[in-house]
């Protein structure tokens, strides 16, 4: 009988509040999961990943950190990309430092974590649909989990249906708002449009509201800073058996002092 793997995927970790809630809460629940993935592209001050942020996430119990369109927003990330536990989007052009996927051994089971970047309303990158097709031609990937970092909900859903029955899970990141559509598609592919943000609760997708509000009011550039106060951890649990999802469920936690 195949082993059932319980995976936890933590949505975009944003700044110091996001790092804090992961460091304080994940160790308390870590024993529930066989493998933990976290999107860390906003972990360093809301923009990119540095060595301190990566070390904190790994020390808390994260096994793999994925990135996104801010993958190279902090120069220190170049010192991390030789580590197979740190993945940048696979569909950056050929020659980009780092790797977009890696196969891990999890209790004797093979788990391939993939990071891909959407193109709708985003920067110009290679086709993520074709890149996934090419990757899935490879043998011995085992269970495949995709963090699809994309802006458009339609592109995320299209990717999930494109991969239905071929991967265990497609979970979206980037928009920082958790969606209420967790489900299992045909062929045993778990899908949620966006895992949500792990960061400050009283914020505009992580930023202190003053900056974004002023920008909308004036249409002029305004400095965005990471919001302070209580943080919320937003994540998705996925149970996988024989490479196919058998359960997907949202998991969230709010620090004391939050309003929810």
């Amino acid at each position: 009988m195949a082993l059932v793997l319980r995976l936890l995927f933590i949505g975009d970790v944003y700044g110091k509040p996001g790092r804090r809630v992961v460091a304080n809460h994940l160790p308390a629940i870590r024993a529930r999961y066989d493998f933990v993935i976290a999107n860390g592209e906003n972990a360093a001050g809301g923009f990119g990943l540095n060595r301190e942020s990566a070390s904190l996430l790994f020390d808390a119990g994260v096994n793999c950190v994925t990135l996104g369109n801010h993958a190279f927003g902090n120069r220190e990330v170049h010192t991390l990309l030789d580590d197979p536990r740190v993945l940048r989007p696979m569909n950056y052009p050929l020659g980009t430092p780092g790797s977009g996927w890696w196969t891990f051994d999890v209790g004797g089971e093979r788990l391939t974590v993939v990071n891909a970047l959407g193109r709708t309303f985003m920067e110009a990158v290679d086709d993520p649909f074709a890149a996934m097709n090419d990757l899935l031609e490879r043998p011995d990937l085992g269970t495949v989990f995709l963090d699809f970092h994309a802006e458009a909900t339609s592109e995320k859903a299209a990717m999930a249906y494109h991969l239905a029955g071929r991967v265990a899970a497609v979970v979206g990141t980037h928009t920082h708002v958790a969606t209420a559509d967790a489900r299992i598609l045909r062929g045993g592919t778990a899908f949620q449009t966006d895992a949500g943000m792990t960061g400050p609760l009283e914020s505009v997708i992580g930023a202190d509201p003053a900056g974004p509000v002023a920008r909308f009011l004036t249409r002029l550039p305004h400095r965005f800073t990471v919001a302070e106060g209580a943080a919320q951890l937003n994540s998705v649990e996925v149970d996988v058996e024989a490479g196919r999802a058998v359960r997907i469920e949202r998991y969230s936690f709010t620090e004391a002092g939050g309003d929810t």
Side-chain angles (χ1 to χ4, degrees), residues 2 16 31 171 234 236 242:
K16 185 176 181 180
V171 179
N234 279 296
V236 179

Side-chain angles (χ1 to χ4, degrees), residues 1-38:
M1 180 179 294
L3 178 71
V4 175
L5 295 179
R6 176 157 291 181
L7 312 176
L8 181 70
F9 179 77
I10 300 173
D12 305 59
V13 178
Y14 195 98
K16 185 176 181 180
R19 299 195 309 268
R20 182 183 67 239
V21 72
V22 171
N24 290 341
H25 186 63
L26 180 58
I29 62 171
R30 181 62 183 81
R32 303 178 192 173
Y33 307 104
D34 298 295
F35 198 88
V36 177
I37 309 159

Side-chain angles (χ1 to χ4, degrees), residues 68-137:
N69 60 305
H70 295 314
F72 296 95
N74 190 294
R75 287 179 295 177
E76 285 189 23
V77 77
H78 289 275
T79 70
L80 298 170
L81 290 174
D82 287 336
D83 187 335
R85 298 176 299 170
V86 178
L87 302 177
R88 50 81 174 161
M90 67 182 304
N91 53 320
Y92 275 129
L94 187 65
T96 302
S99 176
W101 62 276
W102 195 260
T103 301
F104 299 87
D105 184 304
V106 184
E109 299 285 322
R110 296 175 70 81
L111 169 66
T112 298
V113 181
V114 188
N115 188 201
L117 193 61
R119 298 199 294 184
T120 304
F121 310 126
M122 300 280 276
E123 62 193 73
V125 289
D126 295 341
D127 181 0
F129 291 82
M132 286 301 302
N133 284 342
D134 290 344
L135 175 64
L136 293 175
E137 293 285 332

Side-chain angles (χ1 to χ4, degrees), residues 147-231:
D147 167 7
F148 191 35
H149 198 81
E151 180 75 32
T153 55
S154 58
E155 188 176 16
K156 295 178 188 182
M159 178 64 82
Y161 280 102
H162 177 62
L163 299 178
R166 298 197 285 163
V167 305
V170 176
V171 179
T173 53
H174 178 68
T175 52
H176 290 200
V177 178
T179 54
D181 61 343
R183 61 195 188 274
I184 297 179
L185 306 182
R186 63 181 185 271
T189 295
F191 172 58
Q192 184 171 317
T193 301
D194 201 284
M197 179 190 68
T198 295
L201 192 61
E202 296 295 331
S203 71
V204 175
I205 61 172
D208 185 296
V213 169
R215 184 171 181 178
F216 280 112
L217 285 171
T218 67
R219 308 306 301 165
L220 298 174
H222 285 269
R223 179 179 174 83
F224 287 9
T225 59
V226 177
E228 299 180 354

Side-chain angles (χ1 to χ4, degrees), residues 210-254:
V213 169
R215 184 171 181 178
F216 280 112
L217 285 171
T218 67
R219 308 306 301 165
L220 298 174
H222 285 269
R223 179 179 174 83
F224 287 9
T225 59
V226 177
E228 299 180 354
Q232 185 174 73
L233 183 149
N234 279 296
S235 63
V236 179
E237 297 177 340
V238 178
D239 290 356
V240 179
E241 184 175 6
R244 294 293 175 260
V246 295
R247 171 181 168 270
I248 179 171
E249 188 172 331
R250 285 184 57 201
Y251 175 80
S252 65
F253 168 81
T254 304

